[in-house]
Amino acid sequence: MAKSNSVFVCGSCGAEFSKWQGKCPECGAWNSIQETVAQSYTPKVNSGVLMNRMRGFSGEISQKVVPLNSVELSSVPRIPSGFNELDRVLGGGIVPGSVVLIGGNPGAGKSTLLLQVVCHLASRVRVLYITGEESLQQVAMRANRLGCNTAGVKIATETSIEMILAMAEKEKPQILIVDSIQVMHLDTISSAPGSVSQVREGAAALTQFAKQNNVATFVIGHVTKDGTIAGPKILEHCVDCSLLLEGESDSRFRTLRCKKNRFGAINEIGIFAMVEKGMREVSNPSAIFLNRSDVVSSGSLVMVVWEGSRPLLVELQALVDYCQYGNPRRLTLGTEANRLSMLLAVLHKHGGLSLGDHDVFINVVGGVKVEETSADLPLILSLLSSYRNSPIDRDLISFGEIGLNGEVRPVTQGTERLQEAYKHGFKQAIIPFDNNPRKPIGDMKIYPVKTLQEALNLMH
């Protein structure tokens, strides 16, 4: 028999508890635990009786067990979205039957990007746009302002999952847009829209419909204050692709970053610019982020990071100043704060430079968030440049990971990074010794180093 129990579920990590708590013991989030109703089922027979019945099963098994190497590999045709940057992040285009979750801060451009996509695709495939947060007039006004061709775009305003699936069953679209999952609800669940149970079951229903009917579904999701997708963690597990649209409110550039992709590489990024006519893709992002000032100043260095399947050149700025109040600050924008603290300790231990009485500020120009360790070496070199007030040559680039023993470790795709830098006019490079290319790259001067001290000696 089925009986109804109340459980408390954390909206950040999905952990379940028997009673409410202010702080989740699993992920440490505050006020994220909500009450929901769970169905628990008690089997009528014990496990021993069940195993005996299974041994005596004489029915026909619907699914057959086959060798993995006998499975036929058929290429799935992808649908071009009209944006090369979006296709890159998706792994080559939109896969029929896939479910894509797009999150981002309010005003980042999630609805704008998907509206442009469906208007572009409406002339070739059947599309259905479901909005639960805006009226039809609001969406039409935005499409008119963006100059989109709305012919062939089917749109409806609805928040009931059952009604949305009924509309999709009737219209039979190839592309379905749901904006957004946090305002949708199932009539069979009594909790409010946006709760853990509503988001979980609503996403599961949309995913099941997409798989059964081969409909590519895009779901827009809200984010929490720390930038992660709001709702239970199972929301990201049940979708095929999870994307995050990042961008500062005072910058017109947006970064579409892939967090999960069953049809392509993760950590792939696409660069867009928010202009008057909507989202416009940036085909050469390195040229945008390298728009440096003509004034040569200390603490500025260009590094080459690897994002997904391509190199990206960004400018790293460091400011080291004597602390006047006895409580030095450590502030980072675009890099990890804990890694900065570690690198400062390595610089003191193996480089002989103590910045314990100095304020340290790090900034990655353009709002790019660097998550890989190749930024370690350029970060330390820029710190030294600012501390000595000694400018770095404008044609110098660097990349490399720093170990706790002061060694400079190699990074992936070293040759490709150097080739990208050379195409943008850089003539010098300080890189790990193991990343030294076998063949010369034009007339670029390469300085391979094994230890942090060797890199610091090159800055004299």
Side-chain angles (χ1 to χ4, degrees), residues 119 146 182 204 264 350:
C119 290
L146 300 177
Q182 273 77 16
H350 301 283

Side-chain angles (χ1 to χ4, degrees), residues 177-241:
I177 309 295
V178 178
D179 184 9
S180 65
I181 189 62
Q182 273 77 16
V183 301
M184 302 298 167
H185 66 89
L186 285 164
D187 297 336
T188 55
I189 300 178
S190 59
S191 58
S195 62
V196 173
S197 56
Q198 286 284 7
V199 172
R200 179 182 63 228
E201 299 302 329
L206 290 172
T207 301
Q208 184 179 11
F209 176 83
K211 301 301 181 183
Q212 292 178 350
N213 298 273
N214 205 30
V215 178
T217 304
F218 287 84
V219 179
I220 295 179
H222 297 169
V223 296
T224 60
K225 61 182 180 181
D226 59 350
T228 58
I229 299 292
K233 204 66 178 178
I234 195 174
L235 175 62
E236 297 182 61
H237 286 293
C238 69
V239 300
D240 297 311
C241 184

Side-chain angles (χ1 to χ4, degrees), residues 101-372:
L101 175 65
I102 298 183
N105 293 321
K110 306 180 294 297
S111 302
T112 299
L113 176 61
L114 291 183
L115 181 59
Q116 291 180 265
V117 169
V118 297
C119 290
H120 175 78
L121 293 175
S123 60
R124 296 184 287 114
V125 299
R126 296 184 301 275
V127 298
L128 177 60
Y129 191 104
I130 303 296
T131 174
E133 298 182 339
E134 299 177 287
S135 65
L136 300 181
Q137 290 76 13
Q138 288 177 306
V139 178
M141 290 173 60
R142 180 191 292 122
N144 182 65
R145 175 174 57 85
L146 300 177
C148 298
N149 182 14
T150 58
V153 178
K154 300 292 184 66
I155 185 173
T157 173
E158 185 57 64
T159 58
S160 172
I161 295 291
E162 290 90 347
M163 190 63 66
I164 292 173
L165 297 182
M167 291 179 181
E169 185 70 27
K170 179 181 178 181
E171 297 293 336
K172 299 188 182 304
Q174 296 171 268
I175 305 291
L176 174 64
I177 309 295
V178 178
D179 184 9
S180 65
I181 189 62
Q182 273 77 16
V183 301
M184 302 298 167
H185 66 89
L186 285 164
D187 297 336
T188 55
I189 300 178
S190 59
S191 58
S195 62
V196 173
S197 56
Q198 286 284 7
V199 172
R200 179 182 63 228
E201 299 302 329
L206 290 172
T207 301
Q208 184 179 11
F209 176 83
K211 301 301 181 183
Q212 292 178 350
N213 298 273
N214 205 30
V215 178
T217 304
F218 287 84
V219 179
I220 295 179
H222 297 169
V223 296
T224 60
K225 61 182 180 181
D226 59 350
T228 58
I229 299 292
K233 204 66 178 178
I234 195 174
L235 175 62
E236 297 182 61
H237 286 293
C238 69
V239 300
D240 297 311
C241 184
S242 178
L243 309 179
L244 195 61
L245 190 60
E246 305 170 345
E248 302 295 334
S249 59
D250 57 347
S251 174
R252 67 189 185 104
F253 295 107
R254 303 289 189 268
T255 302
L256 186 64
R257 186 181 299 273
C258 180
K259 296 295 185 179
K260 171 190 175 181
N261 194 355
R262 291 172 178 164
F263 306 106
I266 63 172
N267 292 328
E268 191 76 64
I269 67 168
I271 308 297
F272 296 87
M274 177 67 79
V275 296
E276 183 180 357
K277 293 297 183 179
M279 303 287 280
R280 179 176 298 175
E281 56 185 346
V282 179
S283 58
N284 188 9
S286 295
I288 299 296
F289 298 129
L290 289 180
N291 189 12
R292 309 174 71 185
S293 173
D294 295 334
V295 179
V296 180
S297 58
S298 59
S300 175
L301 177 63
V302 174
M303 60 182 177
V304 189
V305 297
W306 191 265
E307 294 288 354
S309 60
R310 64 178 174 183
L312 187 65
L313 276 67
V314 293
E315 181 183 357
L316 178 67
Q317 293 180 338
L319 176 62
V320 179
D321 189 25
Y322 181 74
C323 180
Q324 300 286 341
Y325 307 104
N327 187 19
R329 299 184 60 190
R330 305 287 187 258
L331 180 62
T332 63
L333 295 176
T335 59
E336 188 180 356
N338 292 333
R339 195 157 190 88
L340 173 62
S341 301
M342 184 195 73
L343 293 177
L344 290 175
V346 174
L347 182 60
H348 180 210
K349 177 72 174 180
H350 301 283
L353 178 60
S354 175
L355 299 178
D357 56 349
H358 287 71
D359 293 328
V360 177
F361 303 94
I362 302 295
N363 177 44
V364 180
V365 177
V368 180
K369 293 183 179 180
V370 179
E371 299 180 350
E372 66 166 356

Side-chain angles (χ1 to χ4, degrees), residues 379-454:
L379 192 149
I380 285 186
L381 296 180
S382 60
L383 287 174
L384 182 63
S385 171
S386 178
Y387 176 77
R388 295 176 176 174
N389 198 23
S390 174
I392 301 176
D393 294 340
R394 294 179 61 86
D395 62 349
L396 174 68
I397 60 102
S398 179
F399 58 83
E401 179 183 354
I402 302 295
L404 292 180
N405 293 324
E407 74 277 14
V408 180
R409 296 178 174 270
V411 297
T412 59
Q413 311 295 339
T415 303
E416 289 80 357
R417 298 177 196 238
L418 293 173
Q419 291 173 346
E420 179 71 12
Y422 183 74
K423 287 194 302 184
H424 286 82
F426 290 89
K427 303 293 184 177
Q428 303 179 72
I430 300 179
I431 63 172
F433 183 84
D434 292 335
N435 283 130
N436 192 19
R438 298 179 180 179
K439 298 180 180 180
I441 301 178
D443 57 349
M444 175 180 281
K445 295 182 180 179
I446 298 176
Y447 304 97
V449 294
K450 293 183 178 180
T451 63
L452 174 62
Q453 191 60 53
E454 293 182 19

